Amino acid sequence: MGQNRPLYKFDSMKDFHYSTIEKAIRYIRTHFKDQPSLEDIAQHVHVSPSHFQKLFTDWAGVSPKSFLSHVSVNYAKYLLRERQLSLFETAHETGLSGTGRLHDLFVTIEGMTPGEFKNNGQHLNIYYDAYPSLFGNVLIASTDKGICFVHFYENKQKAIENLRNEFPEATFKNEKKPSHDDVIKVIEGLPTKNKINLHVKGSPFRLKVWNALLSVPEGQLTTYKHIAVQAQSPDASRAVGSAIGANPVAYLIPCHRVIRNDGGLGGYMWGPDRKCVMIAHEKSKYYENPVTGILP
DNA sequence: CTAACTCGCCGTT
DNA sequence: AACGGCGAGTTAG
């Protein structure tokens, strides 16, 4: 399984890696029934098989062949079945044990005060910068109370615009902060030095939903319905969907760990492919080969 | 037995 | 009043 292995030698390689990997994953998802060979996949992403093999293994920690078994429609269904057996216990027991690599438990939400909320961020200093990450480029921003914005992006200017849009009256400084590095660490599944604070704005209902998400451990899945129950609105699955979609801090509030009750992947703000990659990658750290024997 | 469809849910804009 | 990152029940194959 090998966790904690260095994933890259150079940061600048990350983005190239990710786009190649994403392309490969997309190919695998749409062709999984054909069980494409290493050659097939490598050819599709225009890389030599041997190079692709290395690239992929460096990125994921498992070979493409092993990885293939993670990504399929049946995979999600399988997880769902497994989840039904033990979700309550595992989520709660593991969630509170504090052992292992449950970074999300170290994340706490501090809602914005009504004032900050209403003023659109007036008198708020916001420090932001763009970073490459395991799952593509991210724009990270923080106030002095905590992280307030994490968006994956294709177009940097657009992303910055979204950020300004979120807090129209705030003062922005293009400046790196130490807390930003912790965010990257979490995204890469590595331990962080410090506890991470979130400083986000949202209605009481949204905060409830986001808090519920924080109790979903890394590598596990839950459903919109289940979150609705936890938020004490058991019939509000759909509203939960919108609330999750409005999550301003990607990955830290793990909206990628929520799938449909029927086993479907569900939507994702930053593309279903990316969601699928995240799920598969997290899962691959826990099981070497979880679905052997149940593929079609 | 699945896959598509319908219709109800409920917090936001 | 309309619109979703949804779900349960129903129907068509």
Side-chain angles (χ1 to χ4, degrees):
Chain A
M1 310 240 203
Q3 46 265 61
N4 281 344
R5 121 192 36 73
L7 294 169
Y8 303 100
K9 286 183 178 165
F10 306 104
D11 277 5
S12 58
M13 293 298 290
K14 286 181 185 177
D15 190 41
F16 168 72
H17 284 2
Y18 177 72
S19 51
T20 305
I21 298 294
E22 188 194 39
K23 205 165 165 189
I25 296 293
R26 185 165 39 235
Y27 182 78
I28 291 172
R29 281 190 70 210
T30 51
H31 295 260
F32 74 97
K33 284 180 182 167
D34 305 322
Q35 292 291 303
S37 67
L38 178 64
E39 285 76 16
D40 296 333
I41 306 170
Q43 186 190 3
H44 186 258
V45 297
H46 307 106
V47 181
S48 79
S50 55
H51 181 52
F52 176 71
Q53 165 92 18
K54 177 172 180 358
L55 198 64
F56 198 105
T57 308
D58 284 348
W59 185 89
V62 293
S63 69
K65 178 171 167 46
S66 161
F67 205 78
L68 171 61
S69 66
H70 290 262
V71 186
S72 69
V73 174
N74 281 0
Y75 176 65
K77 291 183 179 173
Y78 169 81
L79 286 180
L80 187 66
R81 280 183 218 123
E82 183 185 62
R83 180 192 61 77
Q84 281 180 340
L85 285 182
S86 63
L87 181 64
F88 274 113
E89 294 150 356
T90 358
H92 281 267
E93 301 288 332
T94 337
L96 295 176
S97 73
T99 65
R101 310 160 47 75
L102 308 177
H103 312 288
D104 302 320
L105 298 173
F106 296 142
V107 180
T108 58
I109 292 186
E110 169 151 15
M112 301 231 165
T113 67
E116 293 166 330
F117 196 132
K118 179 116 196 205
N119 294 326
N120 291 319
Q122 203 175 12
H123 304 132
L124 219 51
N125 287 326
I126 296 184
Y127 309 91
Y128 71 94
D129 206 359
Y131 304 82
S133 88
L134 188 56
F135 301 111
N137 293 315
V138 277
L139 185 66
I140 302 178
S142 55
T143 68
D144 38 36
K145 282 192 187 170
I147 304 292
C148 62
F149 190 91
V150 178
H151 275 210
F152 294 97
Y153 68 86
E154 313 299 331
N155 177 336
K156 183 169 166 182
Q157 290 314 312
K158 265 287 201 189
I160 294 179
E161 203 143 307
N162 288 339
L163 170 60
R164 289 183 175 275
N165 223 342
E166 188 88 7
F167 309 95
E169 305 296 334
T171 330
F172 292 91
K173 298 181 178 163
N174 185 349
E175 187 179 324
K176 289 186 193 307
K177 285 287 181 183
S179 63
H180 298 181
D181 293 330
D182 285 330
V183 175
I184 299 289
K185 285 267 200 288
V186 171
I187 292 177
E188 318 235 314
L190 302 172
T192 62
K193 294 192 188 81
N194 311 297
K195 179 177 158 182
I196 291 189
N197 285 323
L198 302 183
H199 191 202
V200 293
K201 64 175 186 184
S203 67
F205 178 76
R206 288 184 174 180
L207 289 178
K208 238 193 273 184
V209 167
W210 297 342
N211 262 312
L213 282 189
L214 290 182
S215 68
V216 182
E218 184 182 24
Q220 296 220 9
L221 296 180
T222 185
T223 65
Y224 297 96
K225 170 73 171 173
H226 185 71
I227 297 292
V229 172
Q230 275 189 282
Q232 290 144 24
S233 311
D235 291 317
S237 306
R238 193 145 190 191
V240 164
S242 342
I244 294 179
N247 162 32
V249 280
Y251 208 97
L252 296 182
I253 292 174
C255 43
H256 59 283
R257 289 175 203 149
V258 190
I259 64 175
R260 278 172 160 263
N261 207 19
D262 60 17
L265 186 60
Y268 191 59
M269 180 67 56
W270 295 284
D273 289 322
R274 202 187 309 257
K275 181 175 185 176
C276 195
V277 171
M278 285 174 173
I279 292 173
H281 181 257
E282 283 191 3
K283 211 65 189 176
S284 73
K285 294 197 299 194
Y286 290 86
Y287 302 102
E288 191 57 43
N289 196 358
V291 287
T292 300
I294 69 153
L295 289 175

